[in-house]
Amino acid sequence: GWLDWSTPRILSGDGEFVLFEEGNEAAADGYAIYLRKTDGSPPQRLAFGSILALAPDGSRVAILTSLFQGTPRIDLVPIGAGQTETVDFGDLRPPGEQGTWLPDRGPGRPESLVLASRREDEPLRLYLIPLDGSGPPEPLTPVDLPLAPAGHLVNADGTGILAKPAEGPAVRIDAASGRVAPAPGLDDDDLPLRWAEGGRYVFVQAERTVPSPIYRIDLESGERKLWTDLAPPDPAGIFKVDRVQLSADGMFQIYSNRRSLSNLIILEGLVDQAR
């Protein structure tokens, strides 16, 4: 972290750097967004807003800006040299959680963002937003499957989705047909974190325990394998481990934790003084 309210949002696939928001440094566009290499070197402030997704080549980051003033928008901010671009997300409500940045997948399938959002009074769904402005946002999940705010994964070609419903365990969705199928091995409390090994496996977090276990699940057989347990060295007062991010091979992890501490004060001699 940097100051005393740092929220990790994205860990690069190779584990070389982390993107985080610093809640104690804010402006009209949102919270300060930093990139920091995991070698411990000083962080680089990129912008103000809320982090949505990292480009597959690590060259740009999509952020939601104008959070506290004006009309929210999505900006594509370069990491290094380059110009910031703005993305039109049509009549969708501003997304609030991290999404997926898909690469160019050939004719008619440009670079896109996949984000959880909604139109008017519809439930939360996943939408595909072309970055070249070639079309309006396209829903990828059915309207009769309300989604949770987070826990959604999309594979690199955009055809396979693992989505976390508002209730129940994550399900698999075929983007082309919209067909919904159970995801073997996942429980209600499992939060999908990242694809592993080409999409056959997925890393998930069992959210409601401390230390918080991370499992690797085989989506073909449903086999669960404990990968690691996450908790700080001093677990006193820790009631939640969240914002977990893993590198592509699962060997590097970052997370935030929430701690509540109290002071116990013993007063002696009060009864005698009262007499």
Side-chain angles (χ1 to χ4, degrees):
W2 187 232
L3 300 178
D4 59 358
W5 194 1
S6 297
T7 301
R9 296 298 295 265
I10 294 177
L11 178 65
S12 63
D14 56 11
E16 291 293 320
F17 67 86
V18 59
L19 292 165
F20 67 88
E21 297 163 11
E22 178 51 59
N24 272 331
E25 187 178 354
D29 277 343
Y31 301 112
I33 293 173
Y34 282 95
L35 179 149
R36 189 171 196 179
K37 293 183 178 180
T38 50
D39 62 6
S41 54
Q44 170 192 358
R45 193 174 70 195
L46 300 178
F48 286 87
S50 181
I51 300 167
L52 295 176
L54 177 68
D57 63 1
S59 64
R60 293 175 292 169
V61 58
I63 66 172
L64 185 67
T65 65
S66 297
L67 297 184
F68 307 136
Q69 181 177 310
T71 302
R73 66 182 191 274
I74 295 176
D75 282 351
L76 308 181
V77 178
I79 297 176
Q83 297 293 322
T84 296
E85 301 176 31
T86 298
V87 176
D88 180 13
F89 56 94
D91 59 351
L92 295 180
R93 295 187 183 182
E97 291 290 338
Q98 182 182 336
T100 301
W101 188 320
L102 297 179
D104 188 324
R105 292 147 289 145
R109 306 174 74 199
E111 275 190 294
S112 304
L113 290 176
V114 177
L115 300 169
S117 186
R118 70 183 80 211
R119 285 190 173 112
E120 298 179 351
D121 295 329
E122 285 186 350
L124 201 66
R125 306 168 71 183
L126 288 184
Y127 283 87
L128 180 78
I129 304 173
L131 297 187
D132 64 357
S134 58
E138 173 190 350
L140 294 180
T141 57
V143 70
D144 59 354
L145 182 70
L147 298 182
H152 316 301
L153 306 178
V154 183
N155 62 9
D157 64 9
T159 60
I161 299 170
L162 188 67
K164 176 70 172 170
E167 296 182 4
V171 294
R172 304 184 77 168
I173 301 175
D174 180 81
S177 66
R179 185 175 64 89
V180 179
L186 272 78
D187 295 334
D188 288 6
D189 291 340
D190 288 338
L191 181 71
L193 299 174
R194 187 161 198 148
W195 296 114
E197 300 180 47
R200 173 173 175 174
Y201 300 89
V202 64
F203 291 113
V204 305
Q205 176 193 11
E207 285 194 283
R208 298 187 180 181
T209 60
V210 178
S212 187
I214 305 299
Y215 293 95
R216 190 190 72 163
I217 297 177
D218 186 332
L219 291 175
E220 293 184 6
S221 67
E223 178 186 9
R224 296 172 66 93
K225 177 183 177 182
L226 181 63
W227 189 256
T228 188
D229 280 314
L230 298 181
D234 178 8
I238 298 295
F239 62 90
K240 189 171 185 180
V241 172
D242 64 359
R243 299 292 184 181
V244 178
Q245 298 285 322
L246 280 75
S247 60
D249 59 6
M251 299 306 295
F252 298 90
Q253 308 99 29
I254 60 171
Y255 63 92
S256 177
N257 62 73
R258 302 174 190 267
R259 187 192 305 266
S260 178
L261 297 176
S262 301
N263 293 320
L264 176 64
I265 301 174
I266 300 176
L267 303 178
E268 297 180 349
L270 293 183
V271 173
D272 292 340
Q273 293 178 9
R275 292 175 181 174

